[in-house]
Amino acid sequence: MAIQAGETTFYQAKRGIVQNGLVLNLDTGVEGYTSTSSVISIVNGDTASFANQASLQRERGGYIALDGTDDYCSIPNNSNIKPAMPFTFGMWFRKNGTTSGYLYRSDNSSNYYGFWVSVSTGIKAWLGNGGGPSKASRWNNNALTGSLSNNVWYYLTVVYKYTFSDTAFNPIYINASNVTPTYSYSNNNGSATSFNASNSQASLIGINNGSASPFDGDIGPIHIYNRELSASEITHNYNTTRHRFGV
């Protein structure tokens, strides 16, 4: 299906999607913000550099292809794209393999700062407080286990508003539909009570820290907001961009 909403990827990325609170807007479909080795955020100017064989593809208005072996992208440290809670993360993705992989991680360290999003047959949305692996993790597992298909584009949104001391789930949306998480895990030994976004590490696209859990698939636009998006705003972003991905 041809691009319809907003008519062009530039319109979608620059004016079509919700702009209020937008702190990262990576879209490989916008000319002037991409090259064969990187993509630049339309707001704040953060650069995601391609590593190994990660490559820019021009189909579907543009996306980043990752081979699931060692490809990834790296964004230098910038506190603007590591907001305090509440905040919202959004991403278009298409998985090509059956193994689990990391879509995005806001730090590249072993101390578990910030947030992560990973995918296998379902989605996991993680939080960290910088206390190390024995004190840092909380994750929500969504209800899509077994139903995320290969070679199909999805728009993922996670609204991060609940931290370690809360019992509620952080909302996860797939294609603007709220999918209630089925499981929540907190590994903080009773000592981690708050989220800590601060760290001096790069953010990673398509891989865990080091070279662990590479994502086998394709990455479309990535959006980070320094506030909680409403359900209607999430739906707006989905409807504005979905046509280029044939959804």
Side-chain angles (χ1 to χ4, degrees):
M1 183 182 296
I3 293 171
Q4 296 177 8
E7 297 181 347
T8 66
T9 54
F10 179 80
Y11 178 90
Q12 292 175 358
K14 185 69 174 178
R15 295 184 294 276
I17 65 170
V18 174
Q19 298 294 305
N20 181 21
L22 187 62
V23 294
L24 183 72
N25 184 5
L26 292 174
D27 193 328
T28 55
V30 180
E31 292 186 11
Y33 292 87
T34 61
S35 71
T36 57
S37 60
S38 67
V39 55
I40 301 172
S41 175
I42 298 169
V43 294
N44 292 329
D46 297 281
T47 299
S49 298
F50 304 164
N52 299 322
Q53 301 303 309
S55 62
L56 173 65
Q57 304 295 314
R58 292 298 186 183
E59 300 173 65
R60 298 295 183 188
Y63 62 85
I64 302 167
L66 306 172
D67 65 7
T69 300
D70 58 1
D71 293 353
Y72 68 96
C73 302
S74 178
I75 307 172
N77 177 54
N78 183 349
S79 60
N80 288 330
I81 63 173
K82 300 174 181 179
M85 295 177 76
F87 64 92
T88 304
F89 173 84
M91 168 190 275
W92 278 97
F93 75 94
R94 174 175 64 180
K95 73 187 192 77
N96 298 330
T98 58
T99 58
S100 60
Y102 275 65
L103 295 173
Y104 191 92
R105 178 166 178 162
S106 69
D107 80 310
N108 181 23
S109 74
S110 59
N111 288 324
Y112 292 77
Y113 287 100
F115 72 98
W116 318 263
V117 180
S118 62
V119 61
S120 53
T121 54
I123 298 292
K124 288 181 181 178
W126 308 69
L127 281 173
N129 83 320
S134 65
K135 299 179 181 179
S137 299
R138 168 185 171 153
W139 55 267
N140 296 153
N141 214 24
N142 82 345
L144 292 176
T145 299
S147 60
L148 284 179
S149 301
N150 286 345
N151 303 312
V152 174
W153 283 100
Y154 296 99
Y155 185 59
L156 164 68
T157 309
V158 183
V159 180
Y160 285 97
K161 60 180 180 177
Y162 299 117
T163 186
F164 300 98
S165 58
D166 297 309
T167 57
F169 295 112
N170 286 307
I172 298 173
Y173 294 78
I174 294 291
N175 294 352
S177 295
N178 192 332
V179 289
T180 303
T182 57
Y183 184 71
S184 180
Y185 173 77
S186 182
N187 179 24
N188 59 28
N189 291 341
S191 61
T193 59
S194 62
F195 170 67
N196 189 344
S198 177
N199 66 80
S200 60
Q201 301 291 322
S203 297
L204 301 175
I205 301 168
I207 206 165
N208 195 359
N209 64 315
S211 59
S213 302
F215 174 64
D216 182 6
D218 305 313
I219 301 294
I222 300 174
H223 310 131
I224 296 178
Y225 293 84
N226 63 8
R227 65 180 181 88
E228 176 185 349
L229 291 192
S230 67
S232 62
E233 288 175 316
I234 292 169
T235 299
H236 172 85
N237 280 358
Y238 169 65
N239 285 333
T240 298
T241 55
R242 69 186 179 92
H243 304 281
R244 67 191 266 195
F245 297 103
V247 178

